Amino acid sequence: MTTPKSKTPTHAPMSQWPTRDGELIVGGLPLSRLAARVGQTPFYAYDRGLLSERVAHLRAALPAAVKLHYAMKANPMPALVAHLARQVDGVDVASTGEMQVALDAGVSPTEISMAGPGKRESELHQAVAAGILVNLESAAEIGPLRAASDRLGVPARVAVRINPDFELKSSGMKMGGGPKQFGIDAEQVPQVLGQIDQAGLRFEGFHIFAGSQNLKAEAIIEAQLKCFELALRLADAAPAPVRTLNLGGGFGIPYFPGESTLDLRPIGDNLAELAARASERLPTAAIVIELGRYLVGEAGIYVCKVLDRKVSRGHTFLVTDGGLHHHLAASGNFGQVIRKNYPATIGNRAEAPLGEPVSVVGPLCTPLDLLADRMALPQARPGDLVVIFQSGAYGFSASPHRFLGHPAPVEVLV
Amino acid sequence: MTTPKSKTPTHAPMSQWPTRDGELIVGGLPLSRLAARVGQTPFYAYDRGLLSERVAHLRAALPAAVKLHYAMKANPMPALVAHLARQVDGVDVASTGEMQVALDAGVSPTEISMAGPGKRESELHQAVAAGILVNLESAAEIGPLRAASDRLGVPARVAVRINPDFELKSSGMKMGGGPKQFGIDAEQVPQVLGQIDQAGLRFEGFHIFAGSQNLKAEAIIEAQLKCFELALRLADAAPAPVRTLNLGGGFGIPYFPGESTLDLRPIGDNLAELAARASERLPTAAIVIELGRYLVGEAGIYVCKVLDRKVSRGHTFLVTDGGLHHHLAASGNFGQVIRKNYPATIGNRAEAPLGEPVSVVGPLCTPLDLLADRMALPQARPGDLVVIFQSGAYGFSASPHRFLGHPAPVEVLV
């Protein structure tokens, strides 16, 4: 690829994906061969090797005492969950639908926890029956958990999700601090701990989740420190020893021009300190880091095919068979205020020089259906394969497949 | 409801929905009874009577010579399509998936047209086999259409979608003017008409679609006038008489505070003039107005149930079983730059006075999962039914149902 000479911000290099003979290599296969194996475009492909490497990278950077959980909401593909489940220490689910996938993947109920506001009584009943840990988001969940426990003759395992009294700085999404639907306000926690005790639920720990998609190590460190200290304070009111202290995640990946990779080293150093303090102050507690996007986001690509290279009034459009209906986030319609391009390439010409800026669009009758806006890509023609990088998280499952009645994409783990 | 005294912009009154004994009435049924009939929340409900009234309202305002088409992409629910198909003059589809629904609904192929960039060869083959009209978006479609026609021994019916050399002012989405993936640049059309003739395709007319979700009658009138005159100019180069002149739609509905209903009268007057001119200049042509959102948007509601009334640091959250995964547009993640509230109420307390502002959220672990932000609603408690109005278009089919693995909503036509 050509090196940009201007100071325009560029995408982080997608060096996790090798190329060979001009083609991107996915799970050892040239992309065009993988497309032939899949038998259709568009598709999502997730690379097993990259997933395992990411776990190893985290294990090397984080202290051994810290447990690593997978937040399945980022990518609930069953084969991917099964692959990761063998390598992480637990799986966090956001619904009983996700719980079933985790159980099918062979994850022990003792290693599954469920979070999310508005849990229905039937869901709480299922969770107790499964024997998983329920992160309490509201005191209103105590009654149904007790009832389920009584009916089933099975203890209800709970952790308290705390809405902290601070925010994670520079976070893509703020999920703690101020009034929130998530968790129980820190100042209410002692009272709720009393109610848990009275109801006979089995208290196991705390869950504090202050944000997500953060690329600044110092902000993550500060949040983890504050979360840890908040948990120490609240542990005094706990009806039983804290066995699990889930400090959430929030580790970001670089999506847009000018963003760069998160530096794990200082985060690991800080967690080592916290683990040492925990071994004194909360000797029964395991510190848990829960990651979704950071584990899977960079290990996935979305692939669609160029159907038409159309020039309109001097601007080139690559019209593809993929689009917003398959990859809402890449179209800029999933939480972004200003649309920016995901990193992208032409996967079967990945080593070719970049041409004039083109726009990559899909088949939908809406100008929102835009996968890349005026982006320099290798020169493409019909039949070529557009690759959208950083698509392993919040892609397939977070997109409106039915919109306009086109065929759904498929997912493969390679 | 109380009347707001301040000058804060308010939502347009949702007076199409009557109330009785405190409840919203949907298709003649009190909402709580309808919810019991459906057997689950969340659901979308579309009111047959309101759909028919909207068609009648349009028929009364538009000249008899103008044909009314339904743009199915707004809402492809099969029962709704079948209901509307009996009342409109044609159905426009955006994919062969939608084409199948229209054919199943009993729409004659002569009354179906298909638009959209990036039509695959297999789709063009299906369209020719079905005998529907294909709106050409690119000269690249001519070859596959000719091949399909030859293989099938069936003429390929085509209209040319024109990318005009002007934009629809004040439009929610601009779909014409400048470089676009939609249609053929006006200045290229004469040449493409020659190619159509040479390829032996059956030319039937033009399709010019300049925008959508426009609430200003004068902007729509200006665009229709310009589109009409553009078509007159280009008709001289046509290989056959123009039989259909689809001027698109773009009629908006009021979603957000401060927006009000589109005035149809001047649009109808303008179309009457255009129809008179067409009868002289293009005597074989029918003028078609193609509407999606305007036909169905105001006839639909999204209904979810309050699971928890949660107060966090002085702010009240109604935590429901619905959310972004069912109704992406109401969450503000479908083309909106700044999130605004859709009109909403508590459907089983629709006549109660408005209480303090509350936020309506769903069960997802993301702060994007917001159906109403600090909005004054009748005071609600668990079990009550939150209603999001103006949800008949781009709701169910445009939402990422699988996100986080919660149950999908259902749709009913009442």
Side-chain angles (χ1 to χ4, degrees), chain B residues 88-365:
Chain B
V88 297
D89 306 305
V91 173
D92 297 301
V93 302
S95 65
T96 49
E98 288 192 359
M99 179 185 84
Q100 304 289 13
V101 174
L103 290 169
D104 287 348
V107 184
S108 161
T110 59
E111 294 175 350
I112 300 176
S113 63
M114 182 166 82
K119 298 184 197 81
R120 284 162 287 139
E121 281 186 30
S122 60
E123 285 181 296
L124 292 168
H125 194 258
Q126 284 180 269
V128 173
I132 69 169
L133 180 68
V134 174
N135 290 319
L136 214 69
E137 307 266 356
S138 165
E141 292 172 2
I142 294 174
L145 281 170
R146 180 187 190 158
S149 180
D150 288 348
R151 277 201 303 279
L152 292 159
V154 171
R157 300 172 52 216
V158 299
V160 173
R161 180 166 174 183
I162 305 169
N163 177 24
D165 38 16
F166 54 88
E167 284 189 350
L168 176 54
K169 284 181 190 165
S170 321
S171 176
M173 284 182 193
K174 291 187 174 47
M175 300 180 71
K180 286 283 178 302
Q181 70 261 45
F182 307 110
I184 290 163
D185 296 345
E187 55 275 26
Q188 302 294 329
V189 168
Q191 187 193 333
V192 171
L193 289 169
Q195 293 174 267
I196 287 171
D197 193 29
Q198 282 187 328
L201 309 186
R202 186 182 290 180
F203 171 82
E204 299 197 1
F206 294 114
H207 186 189
I208 319 182
F209 192 60
S212 75
Q213 180 50 21
N214 199 314
L215 289 167
K216 294 199 162 62
E218 63 272 29
I220 292 173
I221 288 170
E222 188 191 329
Q224 288 178 340
L225 199 59
K226 283 182 167 177
C227 287
F228 180 77
E229 282 165 356
L230 179 59
L232 282 190
R233 282 202 306 279
L234 293 171
D236 292 338
V242 174
R243 298 173 56 171
T244 179
L245 173 52
N246 184 331
L247 295 179
F251 297 13
I253 63 172
Y255 284 104
F256 304 121
E259 293 182 346
S260 53
T261 302
L262 177 67
D263 185 4
L264 283 189
R265 205 179 34 79
I267 297 173
D269 292 347
N270 180 59
L271 285 172
E273 268 181 58
L274 297 188
R277 287 174 63 190
S279 71
E280 286 180 27
R281 297 283 306 275
L282 301 171
T284 55
I287 292 181
V288 172
I289 296 298
E290 174 184 335
L291 299 170
R293 186 197 314 270
Y294 191 80
L295 275 168
V296 299
E298 305 202 65
I301 56 175
Y302 172 67
V303 182
C304 56
K305 192 166 71 183
V306 178
L307 298 173
D308 192 6
R309 180 187 172 87
K310 183 174 163 185
V311 180
S312 168
R313 297 183 180 134
H315 183 65
T316 300
F317 293 87
L318 301 179
V319 184
T320 74
D321 56 2
L324 167 155
H325 51 318
H326 298 163
H327 200 334
L328 187 66
S331 81
N333 286 285
F334 202 62
Q336 299 98 321
V337 176
I338 298 169
R339 188 197 176 283
K340 292 177 188 164
N341 288 330
Y342 270 46
T345 191
I346 305 300
N348 57 320
R349 301 182 191 276
E351 295 167 352
L354 302 184
E356 286 305 294
V358 299
S359 293
V360 179
V361 300
L364 307 188
C365 286

Side-chain angles (χ1 to χ4, degrees), chain A residues 14 16-17 43-47 50-51 70-77 80-81 84 253-255 291-303 326-327 329-330 342-343 387-399 411-413, chain B residues 403:
Chain A
M14 294 293 109
Q16 71 271 38
W17 301 100
F43 61 90
Y44 280 88
Y46 314 117
D47 188 308
L50 291 178
L51 292 167
Y70 176 48
M72 199 179 132
K73 61 175 183 263
N75 188 328
M77 185 208 189
L80 178 145
V81 173
L84 273 182
I253 64 172
Y255 284 105
L291 298 169
R293 185 196 314 269
Y294 191 81
L295 276 168
V296 298
E298 305 202 67
I301 56 175
Y302 172 67
V303 182
H326 298 164
H327 199 334
Y342 271 46
V387 169
I388 309 291
F389 293 110
Q390 308 295 75
S391 297
Y394 304 113
F396 182 89
S397 69
S399 298
E411 290 178 295
V412 290
L413 181 66
Chain B
F403 190 45

Side-chain angles (χ1 to χ4, degrees), chain A residues 146-166:
Chain A
R146 180 187 192 159
S149 180
D150 289 349
R151 277 201 304 278
L152 292 159
V154 171
R157 301 172 53 216
V158 299
V160 173
R161 180 166 175 183
I162 304 169
N163 177 23
D165 37 15
F166 54 87

Side-chain angles (χ1 to χ4, degrees), chain A residues 315-378:
Chain A
H315 183 63
T316 300
F317 293 88
L318 301 179
V319 184
T320 73
D321 57 1
L324 167 155
H325 52 317
H326 298 164
H327 199 334
L328 187 67
S331 81
N333 286 286
F334 202 61
Q336 299 99 320
V337 176
I338 297 169
R339 189 197 175 284
K340 293 177 188 164
N341 288 330
Y342 271 46
T345 192
I346 305 299
N348 57 319
R349 301 181 189 276
E351 295 168 352
L354 303 185
E356 286 305 293
V358 298
S359 293
V360 179
V361 300
L364 307 188
C365 286
T366 164
L368 300 177
D369 191 18
L370 186 61
L371 292 173
D373 186 21
R374 295 171 188 268
M375 190 174 184
L377 293 174

